[in-house]
Amino acid sequence: PGGLAAAAALGAFWAVLPIPGFHSVAILYFELRLHLNRIMAFNIQHLFMPPFTPVLCVELGYWLLNGKLLLTANFDTLVRQLPLRIFEWWLGSLAAAPVFAVITGGITYILASVISGRIRKNDKCSA
């Protein structure tokens, strides 16, 4: 369970950061360096795909800079004004990535522990 949780946390952390096109490369590189579960680390990034996570990070970054929410999150403010929102996206993702990593790792650890316990229990019963 601990290894799966670490792989999920690593995948979540890198998936939230605003490096479009390089999430997979970064996740696989660090997974190889840390000898984590490749399938878990790579596939957890699908939970954080656009548009939800980037919009959330832009909102968080805007709030951190201005003290209020960007209430008009529409095509114009998020796509046409993208050059103005990149710093907010970076700032919000740097704040959100560790939080998402801890939450994802914690949920994965709990689920893996429960499933592992059930498998061990079934093995004892059948023996």
Side-chain angles (χ1 to χ4, degrees):
L4 286 175
L10 176 113
F13 180 83
W14 285 101
V16 172
L17 294 180
I19 50 173
F22 295 101
H23 293 112
S24 299
V25 174
I27 290 168
L28 290 176
Y29 173 77
F30 286 103
E31 168 274 321
L32 284 170
R33 299 289 294 167
L34 298 172
H35 305 287
L36 297 173
N37 185 303
R38 180 174 300 150
I39 294 171
M40 176 63 81
F42 185 73
N43 283 315
I44 203 76
Q45 72 177 323
H46 300 299
L47 295 176
F48 301 98
M49 61 188 207
F52 178 71
T53 304
V55 170
L56 181 70
C57 290
V58 168
E59 286 286 346
L60 180 58
Y62 188 87
W63 178 75
L64 289 171
L65 287 174
N66 301 307
K68 60 182 179 178
L69 291 176
L70 179 63
L71 299 176
T72 55
N74 56 30
F75 183 81
D76 185 55
T77 58
L78 296 174
V79 176
R80 289 193 180 131
Q81 297 176 9
L82 184 63
L84 303 173
R85 304 283 172 241
I86 288 179
F87 182 69
E88 295 163 357
W89 187 14
W90 266 101
L91 185 63
S93 68
L94 290 175
V99 173
F100 279 128
V102 168
I103 291 169
T104 305
I107 290 171
T108 303
Y109 183 82
I110 291 167
L111 290 174
S113 296
V114 168
I115 292 169
S116 173
R118 286 186 182 165
I119 290 171
R120 285 190 204 128
K121 182 179 175 183
N122 289 339
D123 286 345
K124 289 178 184 176
C125 292
S126 62

